[in-house]
RNA sequence: CGGGGUGUGGCGCAGCCUGGUAGCGCGUCGGUUUUGGGUACCGAAGGUCGUGGGUUCGAAUCCCGCCGCCCCGACCA
């Protein structure tokens, strides 16, 4: 993509309303534009990042056996009356009325809707287990939207739902989602720690929140330093192996890690040695919980067991804040110059800076490089503006592309281009072949 | 919803107290400069001063209402 043909409205000055780094940088890098309180338009650069995150979430959901669907944003009040939540939900639910005076609502979540879909066809133990999910815009009329996309009113969420015959089976589904989440966040280049959450009306310990550690997080968290160092890495995961899944969950939920909602100072001190005790702040990016028959009972989603008895299906729901992740990623990956995207979600794989736009040799070499990068499957943003070098470098740094190639007359004389890494700041002079090969190798791994 | 702020060209702000008909910086556009880390110069465009009403000869400025947005608190992906 040539910058001159792209739509990248970067801001030199920081808009006054933005308080935290991710919000400031998203506005400055031209990723979003506010439409009204807590509601944003996604501009090309931001939309690209959002789609990259979505893609990874889709891949990891399906790897774990969840099946993609797409439910509507506007729902009928009828189902919500059946579940009893139409009155229970309160003013956070945006209620609307259609031309026939029917009560509708802009969905804040989809338990009712998905349970209705499931109950319409499933009737026996042979129909489970099933996990359905979608990535769809939600609306919650938050009391106080803030921090840009971190707490918007309209936001993109992955919400998944599991259906099982009983609690034990539901627990297997729960474990699949926990492992899937660990993989998802790791691929996104984030350290997200599963923390025991309030389990709500069902009780038990089957509720976890995933929090990204960041100074601007909204929750205070208490954790064992050792869990921060854990990774799934390349370990082969067999989602059909219930024992392996249970073991992973055990490993990841044994070290102390809780938010202020569930924190128990005495237990914290008893379980974690003083030097390993970490108190920090975190951004909630995921939430998984088992809710038993809470929706199946009122909505009549019943299954016949092998012994002929009928009972309500056991469900769980699993959320990932996709649009919030964009903000969380920036909170975790930025410096005073701008964003630093992990390769897996970067809007472009590499930025190309032509130091002497208008010079035949430089223009030709840049165009050639652009073609070769594209042929290697690497997305490139070529800054072909007639601008001073400093301005071009600053733009690349602001928008956070992980790699930058620089073409200039000095390098060309020596037959090289400069390849620089945004995170480390380290750069090296390479031949065009070597540079393309190196980038291909790096991106083959993400 | 309670508390605190704010609304003036695309962005950041001054002007408001002490009414006289709008200004600065950045950006944008047209030139010149051909640049190795936000270059310099010349020129230009762009504003219902959030909105409705009131006071006044005259309102961005004073008064009243409404709306938007931001921050702190209770809620959540």
């Amino acid at each position: 993509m040539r910058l001159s043909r792209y739509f990248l409205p970067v801001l030199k000055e920081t808009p006054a309303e933005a308080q935290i780094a991710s919000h400031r940088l998203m506005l400055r890098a031209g990723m979003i534009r506010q439409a009204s309180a807590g509601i944003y338009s996604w501009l090309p650069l931001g939309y690209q990042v959002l789609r990259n995150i979505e893609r990874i979430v889709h891949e990891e959901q399906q790897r774990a056996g969840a099946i993609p669907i797409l439910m509507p944003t506007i729902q009928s009040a009828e189902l919500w009356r059946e579940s009893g939540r139409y009155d229970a939900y309160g003013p956070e639910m945006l209620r609307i009325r259609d031309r026939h005076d029917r009560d509708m609502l802009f969905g804040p979540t989809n338990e009712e809707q998905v349970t209705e879909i499931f109950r319409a066809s499933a009737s026996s133990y042979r129909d489970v287990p099933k996990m359905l999910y979608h990535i769809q815009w939600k609306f919650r009329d938050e009391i106080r939207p803030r921090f840009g996309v971190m707490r918007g009113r309209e936001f993109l969420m992955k919400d998944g739902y599991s259906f099982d015959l009983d609690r034990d089976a539901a627990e297997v589904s729960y474990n699949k989602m926990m492992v899937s989440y660990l993989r998802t966040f790791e691929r996104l280049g984030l350290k997200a720690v599963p923390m025991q959450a309030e389990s709500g009306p069902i009780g038990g310990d089957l509720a976890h929140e995933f929090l990204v550690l960041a100074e601007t997080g909204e929750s205070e968290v208490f954790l064992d330093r050792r869990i921060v160092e854990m990774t799934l890495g390349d370990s082969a995961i067999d989602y059909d192996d219930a024992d392996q899944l249970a073991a992973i969950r055990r490993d990841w939920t044994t070290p102390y890690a809780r938010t202020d909602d569930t924190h128990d100072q005495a237990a914290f001190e008893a379980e974690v040695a003083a030097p390993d005790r970490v108190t920090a702040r975190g951004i909630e990016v995921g939430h998984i919980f088992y809710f038993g028959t809470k929706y199946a009972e009122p909505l009549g989603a019943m299954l016949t067991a092998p012994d002929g008895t009928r009972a309500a299906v056991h469900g769980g729901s699993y959320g990932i804040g996709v649009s919030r992740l964009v903000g969380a990623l920036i909170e975790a990956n930025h410096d005073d110059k701008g964003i630093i995207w992990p390769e897996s979600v970067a809007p472009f794989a590499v930025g190309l800076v032509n130091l002497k736009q208008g010079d035949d040799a430089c223009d030709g070499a840049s165009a050639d490089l652009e073609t070769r990068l594209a042929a290697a499957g690497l997305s490139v943003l070529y800054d072909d503006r007639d601008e001073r070098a400093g301005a071009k470098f600053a733009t690349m740094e602001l928008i956070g592309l992980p790699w930058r190639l620089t073409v200039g007359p000095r390098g060309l004389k020596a037959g090289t281009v400069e390849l620089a890494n945004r995170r480390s700041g380290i750069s090296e002079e390479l031949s065009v072949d070597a540079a393309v090969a190196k980038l291909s190798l790096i991106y083959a791994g993400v």
Side-chain angles (χ1 to χ4, degrees):
Chain A
M1 174 63 66
R2 299 275 175 113
L3 187 51
S4 62
R5 298 173 195 168
Y6 199 48
F7 184 72
L8 185 69
V10 297
L11 268 33
K12 198 164 187 176
E13 282 167 285
T14 303
E17 75 269 17
Q19 299 298 312
I20 64 168
S22 59
H23 191 196
R24 280 199 301 268
L25 289 169
M26 286 183 79
L27 290 169
R28 286 196 55 211
M31 294 177 65
I32 52 170
R33 177 162 177 85
Q34 182 166 359
S36 68
I39 303 178
Y40 293 85
S41 293
W42 292 77
L43 306 185
L45 195 77
Y47 185 41
Q48 185 61 56
V49 173
L50 192 65
R51 280 180 294 173
N52 291 348
I53 294 171
E54 248 188 294
R55 195 196 71 241
I56 290 173
V57 172
H58 270 300
E59 287 175 8
E60 293 304 328
Q61 283 294 297
Q62 290 171 46
R63 197 193 302 275
I67 306 160
I69 60 175
L70 186 59
M71 292 179 273
T73 54
I74 305 289
Q75 304 182 27
S76 159
E78 221 170 296
L79 270 178
W80 287 71
R81 290 204 174 97
E82 267 189 67
S83 74
R85 284 212 289 180
Y86 191 68
D87 294 323
Y89 217 92
E92 215 171 275
M93 184 155 77
L94 182 65
R95 294 149 206 263
I96 48 189
R97 192 160 284 169
D98 72 8
R99 68 194 298 163
H100 302 293
D101 248 13
R102 286 182 290 230
D103 289 321
M104 312 288 284
L105 57 98
F106 199 120
T109 177
N110 291 70
E111 279 86 1
E112 283 80 359
Q113 193 119 76
V114 78
T115 301
E116 193 282 327
I117 290 168
F118 183 80
R119 78 177 178 192
S121 69
S123 59
S124 126
Y125 69 94
R126 291 193 179 87
D127 295 317
V128 290
K130 282 280 182 296
M131 292 192 289
L132 302 174
Y133 81 97
H134 73 337
I135 297 180
Q136 178 63 288
W137 292 92
K138 305 292 186 294
F139 195 96
R140 293 184 192 171
D141 203 353
E142 290 282 342
I143 296 168
R144 182 149 91 86
R146 63 186 124 172
F147 303 149
V149 299
M150 301 271 270
R151 176 170 297 285
R153 292 196 294 170
E154 188 177 77
F155 59 97
L156 189 61
M157 180 166 90
K158 188 287 295 187
D159 45 321
Y161 305 90
S162 63
F163 302 94
D164 284 285
L165 191 63
D166 55 32
R167 153 103 198 199
D168 285 349
E171 192 154 339
V172 175
S173 295
Y174 184 89
N175 293 348
K176 285 181 182 175
M177 281 297 115
M178 172 167 280
V179 174
S180 170
Y181 276 34
L182 291 171
R183 279 197 61 120
T184 302
F185 296 126
E186 217 165 285
R187 276 188 67 187
L188 292 171
L190 278 177
K191 182 80 225 172
V193 179
M195 303 198 186
Q196 190 175 317
E198 285 180 312
S199 40
I202 310 302
D205 60 348
L206 280 185
H208 287 89
E209 295 175 353
F210 287 75
L211 285 103
V212 172
L213 303 185
E215 285 167 22
T216 45
E218 289 190 271
S219 331
E220 186 167 25
V221 299
F222 306 84
L223 65 163
D224 188 330
R225 185 181 307 282
R226 288 170 296 176
I227 196 166
V228 181
E229 287 151 17
M230 289 173 64
T231 57
L232 231 39
D234 295 332
S235 54
I237 288 157
D238 178 359
Y239 280 102
D240 291 325
D241 182 347
D243 292 339
Q244 188 196 13
L245 298 174
I248 293 173
R249 175 174 136 211
R250 200 162 46 243
D251 289 346
W252 281 81
T253 56
T254 301
Y256 192 97
R258 298 193 190 181
T259 66
D260 42 11
D261 290 336
T262 54
H263 178 57
D264 175 344
Q265 187 64 26
F268 189 39
E269 289 172 16
E271 290 176 32
V272 188
D276 286 333
R277 279 178 221 145
V278 177
T279 302
R281 300 198 68 81
I283 302 165
E284 187 187 347
V285 293
H287 196 160
I288 59 179
F289 64 99
Y290 164 74
F291 53 65
T293 58
K294 179 177 176 185
Y295 300 99
E297 295 220 23
L299 292 167
M302 310 294 280
L303 296 176
T304 307
D307 65 6
T309 58
R310 276 174 71 73
V313 65
H314 285 246
S317 83
Y318 314 93
I320 292 179
V322 176
S323 48
R324 174 180 286 182
L325 272 168
V326 180
L329 275 158
I330 296 172
E331 287 299 327
N333 299 285
H334 72 274
D335 62 18
D336 56 343
K337 290 176 179 160
I339 304 164
I340 308 172
W341 293 114
E343 275 91 355
S344 57
V345 297
F348 293 94
V350 55
L352 175 57
V353 169
N354 178 352
L355 286 176
K356 205 167 180 183
Q357 196 72 40
D359 174 84
D360 287 346
C362 288
D363 291 359
S366 297
D368 178 52
L369 199 44
E370 184 186 28
T371 307
R372 297 191 47 186
L373 290 164
L378 297 163
S379 60
V380 53
L381 181 65
Y382 170 19
D383 188 346
D384 59 340
R385 294 173 302 162
D386 184 14
E387 270 288 353
R388 197 175 155 77
K392 294 188 176 186
F393 288 135
T395 299
M396 291 297 178
E397 283 160 352
L398 173 62
I399 68 174
L401 304 189
W403 295 91
R404 190 194 70 222
L405 279 165
T406 306
V407 172
R410 288 182 203 165
L412 289 184
K413 206 168 288 177
T416 63
V417 293
E418 182 201 50
L419 178 63
N421 182 263
R422 173 72 177 89
R423 189 176 298 274
S424 66
I426 294 170
S427 65
E428 55 186 333
E429 293 287 332
L430 295 171
S431 70
V432 169
D433 286 336
V436 173
K438 178 163 180 174
L439 285 168
S440 300
L441 199 62
I442 289 162
Y443 277 100
V446 296

